[in-house]
Amino acid sequence: MKLLKRFSVGVAVVLLALVVGLAIAWMVTAPQPPPAGSESASRLRVGPHTVGRQEFKWVDGSRPTPRNKEFPGAPERALPATLWFPQGFQGPLPLLVFSHGLMSSRLGCTYLAEHLASYGYAVLSADFPLTKLEAPGGPNHLDVVHQPADISFLIDRVLALDGAVRPFEGRIDQERIGVFGISLGGATATLVAFHPEWRDGRVGAAVSIGGPGDIFGPRFFEHAAIPFLMIAGTSDAIVDYNINASPIPQRLHQGGLLSIEGGTHAGFTHVTAGLLRVLGNPDNIGCGQAKPGDIPQNESVFVGLFGTADQGLLVPPQYRPPCAQIYQNTMRAGRQQMIATLAVQAFFGSYFAKTEEERRAHYRYLTLTLPNELPEVRYTPGRRAAPET
């Protein structure tokens, strides 16, 4: 009996120590907020609108889902979607469509979607059939070539919402439609905005967050006269910053590159600012789960996948395989997501805000104020970035 009692006490002590340790780790890894009284602190506050959320089970019956290992394929493409929107908003809404990364889901943008919706945006995100985490046959990056058409289908469905099936008041402003995505979703956003065959002419602005950029040359971005923003962390172990992000400003006519010193790849995804943040660098998790043979060692997996040199696609002179370098002293995911939220809102606001004065204020914040208030941030404009201050 005494032995059992001692054992119970020992277990209780261990559990208490574990709880205390986790609590301390939780507090230590909390993101540092912007300076009190700064414009950044003001912009991070929840917007004036209550956010609503609606789920949809949309299916595109006009296009098949290809075979994927043991999965035989399907005659349609199922795209379960989530729409965030400002409740009670009377005027026309700008629409932003999010694309998730490989082995992720439509909820990877939750922190961005909720914030943007509170400021008057409708934000839509869907699970792609074969690149989502639970894809039949396993996540397959090759299906990204079908995702630009998925985005066009999703835009069609949102614009067609009417009557009782439309959860928001008013309508979507077709002159203010943007796309953004994380990682492979960043590539999807880039393709649907600029690809000469796959682009959707309704898209007016695009953001790639931690997405590949080495294969998109200057001519590629000339296919559409719209702004593009790359957001990238300098300590990205999956999509190398120097190869994919650093060259982007020299290729752009509008937009630029927002660099986050110490930012990681997985740090942009919603879940890494939760309990996972106590584990440190979130890229370690993804790299630790990679199996031998999963990671190409000699050449980007996207070479030749999206098109030809005549279309502005490049064969990159350099290539660093994912997880070739694991960085130390990286940024906490919560701080990184805070910066991404500020940048995405300001970028789309600089083109989609109602008045010229508001658009200029967003542009000044993105290019001048944000880098001044947060020392980890650097903005590099494209060759002919617009609008001008």
Side-chain angles (χ1 to χ4, degrees):
M1 193 70 179
K2 289 182 179 180
L3 182 62
L4 180 60
K5 185 176 181 179
R6 290 176 181 175
F7 177 78
S8 299
V9 171
V11 170
V13 169
V14 170
L15 290 176
L16 178 60
L18 180 61
V19 170
V20 171
L22 287 174
I24 293 173
W26 181 258
M27 290 186 291
V28 168
T29 56
Q32 180 185 1
S38 65
E39 184 175 352
S40 296
S42 176
R43 284 173 171 261
L44 272 180
R45 298 190 189 106
V46 175
H49 305 289
T50 301
V51 177
R53 177 170 164 170
Q54 181 70 45
E55 307 294 326
F56 298 95
K57 295 182 178 179
W58 285 330
V59 175
D60 185 353
S62 68
R63 298 179 301 123
T65 302
R67 181 184 182 91
N68 184 37
K69 298 179 182 178
E70 67 273 14
F71 173 62
E76 71 286 321
R77 291 182 67 82
L79 294 158
T82 301
L83 178 69
W84 293 264
F85 57 91
Q87 293 182 331
F89 192 91
Q90 299 295 324
L93 290 171
L95 171 65
L96 304 178
V97 184
F98 172 80
S99 298
H100 65 74
L102 187 68
M103 297 189 296
S104 188
S105 79
R106 66 185 186 274
L107 300 182
C109 72
T110 301
Y111 70 97
L112 285 164
E114 292 178 343
H115 189 79
L116 290 164
S118 76
Y119 279 91
Y121 289 88
V123 183
L124 182 76
S125 179
D127 287 343
F128 294 117
L130 293 184
T131 62
K132 63 184 179 182
L133 178 61
E134 299 179 348
N140 186 342
H141 70 277
L142 296 176
D143 200 54
V144 67
V145 299
H146 300 113
Q147 292 180 180
D150 290 337
I151 298 299
S152 293
F153 168 79
L154 293 169
I155 293 173
D156 289 341
R157 294 308 299 260
V158 175
L159 294 180
L161 289 174
D162 201 1
V165 297
R166 185 170 64 194
F168 53 86
E169 300 181 32
R171 59 179 177 81
I172 297 296
D173 185 347
Q174 298 191 42
E175 299 300 316
R176 294 187 292 165
I177 296 177
V179 292
F180 66 115
I182 295 175
S183 190
L184 191 67
T188 301
T190 308
L191 291 167
V192 76
F194 294 100
H195 195 283
E197 296 178 359
W198 304 341
R199 71 184 182 92
D200 190 314
R202 295 171 294 186
V203 172
V207 177
S208 175
I209 305 173
D214 57 348
I215 35 83
F216 301 121
R219 290 180 59 189
F220 182 81
F221 290 104
E222 293 175 357
H223 295 303
I226 63 175
F228 175 81
L229 178 67
M230 173 73 82
I231 301 175
T234 62
S235 298
D236 190 324
I238 311 297
V239 179
D240 184 79
Y241 171 87
N242 291 320
I243 294 173
N244 290 276
S246 184
I248 287 296
Q250 298 303 316
R251 302 173 184 178
L252 294 180
H253 291 269
Q254 296 186 66
L257 166 65
L258 187 123
S259 305
I260 304 175
E261 187 66 33
T264 63
H265 189 79
F268 287 116
T269 303
H270 183 72
V271 296
T272 57
L275 289 175
L276 290 178
R277 80 188 197 201
V278 303
L279 299 179
N281 185 346
D283 284 354
N284 289 339
I285 301 173
C287 290
Q289 292 179 339
K291 300 176 182 178
D294 284 351
I295 299 175
Q297 297 297 314
N298 300 316
E299 188 178 75
S300 169
V301 296
F302 303 115
V303 171
L305 187 63
F306 300 148
T308 64
D310 291 341
Q311 296 175 315
L313 281 305
L314 303 176
V315 176
Q318 293 178 285
Y319 174 66
R320 171 175 284 180
C323 305
Q325 178 177 352
I326 300 297
Y327 295 89
Q328 305 299 322
N329 302 317
T330 56
M331 177 178 289
R332 294 166 186 166
R335 174 97 170 170
Q336 184 172 329
Q337 292 175 21
M338 176 187 72
I339 294 171
T341 299
L342 292 168
V344 170
Q345 181 189 6
F347 173 76
F348 284 121
S350 66
Y351 296 94
F352 292 161
K354 293 180 181 179
T355 69
E356 179 66 21
E357 181 180 2
E358 290 176 306
R359 292 191 291 271
R360 288 182 178 275
H362 282 297
Y363 183 75
R364 284 193 299 271
Y365 174 76
L366 176 67
T367 60
L368 298 174
T369 307
L370 177 58
N372 286 335
E373 293 184 344
L374 302 183
E376 311 97 324
V377 177
R378 182 175 70 256
Y379 181 83
T380 308
R383 292 194 305 251
R384 296 195 298 274
E388 297 178 355
T389 57

